[in-house]
Amino acid sequence: MRISASLCLAVLACATFVATAATAQQASKPASITAATPPMGWNSWNFFAGRVTDKDIRAAADNLVATGMKDAGYIYVNIDDTWEGQRDETGVLHTNDKFPDMKALADYVHSKGLKIGIYSGPGNKTCGGYAASLGHEEQDAKMYAEWGIDYLKYDLCSFIPDVMIKQAPDDKAAQMRIMIDAYQKMGNALKATGRPIVFSLCQYGWDAVWEWAPALGGNLWRTTGDIDPHWDRIYAILSQQDGLAKYAGPGHWNDPDMLEVGNGKLSLNENWSHFAMWSMLAAPLLAGNDLPNMKPEIKAILTNKDVIAIDQDSLGKQATRVYSDGEVEVWTRHLSGGAMAIAVLAAGDSRFSTHPFHLDLAKLGLHGPQKGKNLRDGQEITLTNNMPIEIQSHDTLLVRIAAPK
Ligand code: GLA
C-alpha cells in the first residue's frame, strides 16, 4: 500500500515536471511572425488592372505551380481592385459577376498549396470606384477570414476626399491623424478575426507611414506612389528608399510597390536591375506579369534563387546606398551569417562598357580581395580594390560575399 502510494506520488511528480517543462518550452518558443520575410507572390493589378476575373486568378495559381515560381517562394495570389459588388441591406458586401464565389476561389488557391490575398480601402470607394470598407471594417474583416483570405491590401484613395478633407478641411495634421485611425481600425478588425492575415497598407508613404504602421499591425506599407513599367519610374522609386532601411525587419517591411518585371517595354537589363534592387531592398516580391505567356528570360530572373535568397534573408536588413559616383551607385546589404550583398547599379542613361567604373572597396568597409558569387550568371568573382567594372546603362552587378573582410 505504502509502496503504491509513494509510486503514485513519484508518477505524479514526474507528470507535473513533464507538464511544467512542456509549458516552459512553449512559453520560450517565439510566436510565429506573420510576414517574417518579405511576402512573395503575384498580384493581378500590374497586368490585368480592372479586367481581372476568377478565371485569371485560378490560372495565376496554376501557373505559379507549373512555372516553378511557387517552389521559388511565390506563395500569395493577390486579387487587387475590381472584385467588389454591392452591399446588401445587412451590410454584407457581395462580389461582382467576375468573381462568382470567393470562398470557392480561396479553396482552389489553397488546394494548390498557395495563399490568397484581397483588396479594399478605408473609404467609401476603392481607387477603381468599387465598394470599400468605410463603416464595415469588422464585418468585412470577418468575411475575409470566413473566406480564408490570407492577405489584405488596404488602399487609401476615396478616404482622402470623403473623410479626411471633409472632416478637417484646412488641417493637414488632423487629416493624417484621421487616416492613421482608419488604418488602426482595420488593423484591429483583422486581429479580432484570429486569422493571421498579412496587412498591407497602401497610402503612398504619407506621413512617414514606416514610423507608425508596425504598431497597428501593418506588415508592409507602400513607401511611394504607383510604379509603372518604365525605368525612370522604377529608378525614381528606388532613390526614395534610401534611408528607410532602419524601418524594415521581420514582420514589417517597406514596400516600394509591386514588380513590373516582364511588363511593358523594359529591357532585359532593366528587368534584371529592378528585380536585383528590389531584393536588395528586402521588398515584397509580388510579380505582376502575364504568367501564362512569361518568356524564359523573365522566368529566369523571377526564379533566380540566389537573388531571392538575398530578398528573403532572415536578418531582414534592407540595403543602403553607400556611395554614388556620377550615375553609378553602390548599395550594400548585410546578410545572416556575416555575409554581404553588393549591388553596383548603372542607374543613368549614358554609361556604356567602354569606360569602366572603379569600385572603391574601402568605402564599403572592405579590405583586400573579396571572393564572391556574381548572382546574375552564378560565376565566382573576386572583387579587388579599384578593379574596373564594365557596366552598361541600367545594368546591375550583384555580388554575394560569403565572408567579407
Ligand atoms: C492604387 C494602388 C494600385 C492599385 C490601384 C487599384 O492606384 O496604388 O496599386 O491597387 O489603386 O485601383
Side-chain angles (χ1 to χ4, degrees):
M1 186 70 186
R2 247 207 324 257
I3 291 174
S4 66
S6 52
L7 230 175
C8 249
L9 272 177
V11 168
L12 206 74
C14 201
T16 315
F17 172 75
V18 170
T20 317
T23 321
Q25 204 182 19
Q26 264 164 20
S28 68
K29 203 171 134 201
S32 75
I33 300 177
T34 302
T37 59
M40 289 180 66
W42 177 91
N43 172 293
S44 60
W45 185 256
N46 285 353
F47 181 70
F48 287 104
R51 303 183 309 276
V52 67
T53 65
D54 174 287
K55 199 163 152 260
D56 300 322
I57 296 296
R58 285 171 193 255
D62 294 346
N63 278 291
L64 286 181
V65 175
T67 57
M69 285 179 71
K70 178 192 163 202
D71 289 342
Y74 294 85
I75 292 299
Y76 290 95
V77 184
N78 291 352
I79 309 166
D80 209 277
D81 202 356
T82 80
W83 62 267
E84 311 86 341
Q86 305 295 325
R87 284 192 194 276
D88 64 23
E89 58 289 351
T90 66
V92 172
L93 178 59
H94 294 269
T95 52
N96 62 37
D97 292 349
K98 298 190 297 154
F99 289 87
D101 186 341
M102 199 58 93
K103 174 84 176 77
L105 179 56
D107 288 348
Y108 183 79
V109 171
H110 288 150
S111 77
K112 303 273 159 183
L114 297 164
K115 297 186 176 209
I116 185 162
I118 209 160
Y119 168 99
S120 188
N124 272 313
K125 299 268 179 237
T126 65
C127 294
Y130 289 72
S133 295
L134 184 64
H136 298 275
E137 294 81 1
E138 281 168 20
Q139 194 172 19
D140 286 359
K142 229 170 135 241
M143 180 175 71
Y144 304 149
E146 280 160 16
W147 283 341
I149 296 294
D150 306 295
Y151 185 118
L152 172 69
K153 173 174 168 185
Y154 207 50
D155 198 348
L156 192 59
C157 266
S158 80
F159 192 76
I160 305 167
D162 290 357
V163 181
M164 290 158 63
I165 297 179
K166 212 172 260 170
Q167 284 186 12
D170 303 312
D171 188 345
K172 283 266 177 215
Q175 289 176 17
M176 296 302 140
R177 286 195 295 274
I178 294 168
M179 171 184 71
I180 294 170
D181 286 350
Y183 279 94
Q184 178 77 63
K185 204 173 211 173
M186 185 47 97
N188 293 346
L190 292 175
K191 201 164 166 215
T193 68
R195 185 178 174 84
I197 298 177
V198 173
F199 188 25
S200 156
L201 280 69
C202 181
Q203 46 76 279
Y204 337 115
W206 284 15
D207 207 36
V209 56
W210 38 86
E211 298 269 8
W212 47 266
L216 57 78
N219 299 113
L220 60 152
W221 47 84
R222 281 271 296 277
T223 53
T224 68
D226 287 13
I227 196 166
D228 59 54
H230 297 95
W231 178 254
D232 287 353
R233 183 65 193 138
I234 290 167
Y235 177 62
I237 290 180
L238 172 68
S239 302
Q240 291 171 48
Q241 309 312 304
D242 191 28
L244 296 184
K246 57 181 175 291
Y247 302 103
H252 50 97
W253 307 102
N254 292 305
D255 174 11
D257 207 356
M258 304 172 292
L259 295 168
E260 291 284 13
V261 175
N263 287 343
K265 295 195 166 87
L266 293 174
S267 70
L268 198 58
N269 280 347
E270 290 167 347
N271 279 308
W272 159 256
S273 291
H274 175 22
F275 192 66
M277 293 312 298
W278 260 229
S279 294
M280 287 293 281
L281 293 174
L285 296 181
L286 295 170
N289 60 324
D290 180 10
L291 292 175
N293 297 303
M294 177 161 55
K295 295 200 174 105
E297 61 272 24
I298 296 301
K299 181 172 133 181
I301 291 174
L302 286 171
T303 58
N304 182 317
K305 292 208 160 67
D306 289 332
V307 182
I308 292 172
I310 303 285
D311 182 75
Q312 296 287 301
D313 185 82
S314 58
L315 265 191
K317 281 207 180 302
Q318 181 177 326
T320 51
R321 179 161 45 196
V322 182
Y323 77 99
S324 57
D325 182 337
E327 58 187 23
V328 179
E329 304 188 352
V330 184
W331 294 64
T332 61
R333 178 172 173 181
H334 292 282
L335 304 168
S336 52
M340 187 184 199
I342 302 172
V344 181
L345 163 70
D349 298 332
S350 55
R351 183 136 202 153
F352 302 99
S353 56
T354 48
H355 195 82
F357 167 75
H358 293 268
L359 181 62
D360 186 344
L361 285 180
K363 281 194 171 141
L364 312 183
L366 301 174
H367 304 283
Q370 308 290 323
K371 272 199 181 157
K373 185 173 180 186
N374 177 337
L375 302 191
R376 188 155 191 192
D377 61 15
Q379 300 294 309
E380 277 188 12
I381 183 170
T382 300
L383 299 178
T384 54
N385 198 36
N386 221 22
M387 75 189 276
I389 296 177
E390 296 201 345
I391 185 156
Q392 294 193 4
S393 175
H394 304 180
D395 197 3
T396 302
L397 170 69
L398 181 60
V399 177
R400 183 188 182 107
I401 311 280
K405 299 176 280 193

